[in-house]
Amino acid sequence: MSTLEFDSTLYPISAVRKAALDYAAIAKINVEKTAIGYRCRVETSQAPIEITMLEFANYVLALSCIRESAYDGD
């Protein structure tokens, strides 16, 4: 099992949860609240866990950016 941490000041929980839901077909990812953000535990994955973690982190970032752009008039 591997862990990713996301700071809540940079990553909205909606992006983290959507990413975990979207990845459900290929990986089991548990999301839990921490004092500073969210911890995602990648328990199983159809692809190598290291690749899944990197792709998942990129996806959370992309979802966070999409959400941010909705506020700047784009």
Side-chain angles (χ1 to χ4, degrees):
M1 177 173 50
S2 299
T3 304
L4 292 165
E5 302 275 341
F6 296 95
D7 188 314
S8 62
T9 60
L10 300 172
Y11 301 95
I13 186 59
S14 58
V16 175
R17 286 188 176 145
K18 177 166 177 32
L21 182 63
D22 290 349
Y23 267 64
I26 61 167
K28 182 176 180 185
I29 301 173
N30 290 323
V31 178
E32 60 187 51
K33 180 92 170 100
T34 66
I36 62 167
Y38 318 102
R39 179 177 299 121
C40 296
R41 296 181 193 273
V42 182
E43 294 185 10
T44 62
S45 176
Q46 292 181 12
I49 285 184
E50 297 80 12
I51 292 172
T52 299
M53 289 176 57
L54 292 171
E55 293 294 332
F56 179 79
N58 285 338
Y59 188 50
V60 171
L61 176 59
L63 291 173
S64 299
C65 291
I66 290 168
R67 181 174 178 211
E68 283 295 315
S69 70
Y71 299 111
D72 66 10
D74 289 343

